[in-house]
Amino acid sequence: MPVSGVAGHSARPAGAFDSCRRPADPATLVWDTGWRERSMGLDAGAAEVVVGVDGSADALRAVAWGAVTAARRHRPLRLVSAIAPPTPYGSGIGLSPGHFVELEERGRAWLAEAGAVAERVTPPSRVPEIGTELAVGTAAPVLTERARAAFVVAVGAAEGQRRRGRLGTVTAALLAHAACPLALVRWPGDSETPPRDGAVVVGVDGSPPSADAVAVAFEEAAVRAAPLVAVHAVDAGPRGKGHRKDRHPWGEDETADAVTLAERLAGLREWYPEVDVERVVARDGPEAALLRHAGTAQLLVVGTTGHGELGGRMSGSTSHALAHSAPCPLLVVPQGTRAGTAGHAARRAERAGP
């Protein structure tokens, strides 16, 4: 059935080929998302988990991560593949009539394989509603547009990018312009399923983007029943980026940073009492500190201002560095993500009672 016929979905732009597959068990179609999802100001099932699909093994890992996330959050899963126009004007001059048919068949084959992966990595009783979309256009603008109404967008983080230290075109565009959290997915080993053990690690620097990332990290730790490691890192050297002119002797700076970190987490700890929190103050710089803890983590979370700018010590070059070096799934959270505002107000109201 067309996606436009599913509750909570809107029609896709012209040039998009849509299909939607529902699980066999009708009970799984009841979107009982609970207060966690309602607290974000979203209708049940309204915002999808969107995954970019290009036929690569990296993309299939993103599909697995997205499927598990959609099942955990009771969200629809949308798998998106793009058919790039063959010429700058999209005319297809000089191409055989069967060229576009071949492109469509290849895209549909990618989506079918991705759908099979999504079903394999989730329990039969929790397979999310799966929609597929074959869009005409290049991947970066297509996914950026889908991010406007998505819960999260996930793409595969290629190992080649990690080795070369360069970001791909799609990753760079989404980091700069995605309006929702962006998951860059990779993990070590050959397992088809994403890591489910280990902590959620978040970078904390006190900036507004960092504050939103911390809020999302608490929520992720809560729904995963995982501990949270909050890392506040500064460069120790006198010429480091984190150097402060007002440094004090006898360990006073370390104490001050520890107190500051505790203060930045205090309110959220009240709203998420079930989350065990480890506070870390590191002196070897943000990237090194976060990578050290990400080695055994199931998720790493950092913030971004969006709109092409990255702010705060835990953002900027650190976020870009983590995008190609993080050994686990990286969740980049734009400033103003609703999970960092309305969700906490609802939690406070619920705890206070009528």
Side-chain angles (χ1 to χ4, degrees), residues 209-227:
S210 170
D212 287 336
V214 171
V216 169
F218 263 96
E219 183 72 12
E220 287 293 328
V223 298
R224 295 164 182 263

Side-chain angles (χ1 to χ4, degrees), residues 20-174:
C20 187
R21 182 166 66 258
R22 290 176 180 265
D25 181 5
T28 63
L29 302 180
V30 179
W31 295 104
D32 181 16
T33 58
W35 68 266
R36 292 185 189 278
E37 305 303 338
R38 292 193 299 272
S39 70
M40 295 181 188
L42 301 171
D43 293 333
E48 302 166 312
V49 174
V50 175
V51 184
V53 177
D54 64 5
S56 68
D58 299 309
L60 292 180
R61 288 201 166 192
V63 169
W65 187 93
V68 171
T69 298
R72 180 185 291 128
R73 295 290 198 147
H74 304 281
R75 294 269 175 184
L77 174 67
R78 173 162 293 273
L79 307 175
V80 180
S81 188
I83 300 177
T87 71
Y89 301 100
S91 61
I93 296 174
L95 297 175
S96 67
H99 178 75
F100 298 101
V101 175
E102 293 173 1
L103 288 178
E104 181 178 349
E105 290 177 348
R106 183 178 65 179
R108 291 195 182 281
W110 289 348
L111 291 170
E113 182 182 20
V117 169
E119 292 180 344
R120 283 200 304 270
V121 300
T122 51
S125 63
R126 297 183 60 193
V127 175
E129 180 182 322
I130 303 173
T132 63
E133 178 184 352
L134 189 57
V136 176
T138 54
V142 167
L143 290 175
T144 299
E145 175 62 26
R146 302 303 178 267
R148 292 166 59 88
F151 180 72
V152 62
V153 170
V155 294
E159 280 300 309
Q161 294 178 15
R162 186 180 183 188
R163 291 191 298 269
R164 294 190 300 268
R166 295 196 303 269
L167 297 179
T169 303
V170 175
T171 299
L174 290 171

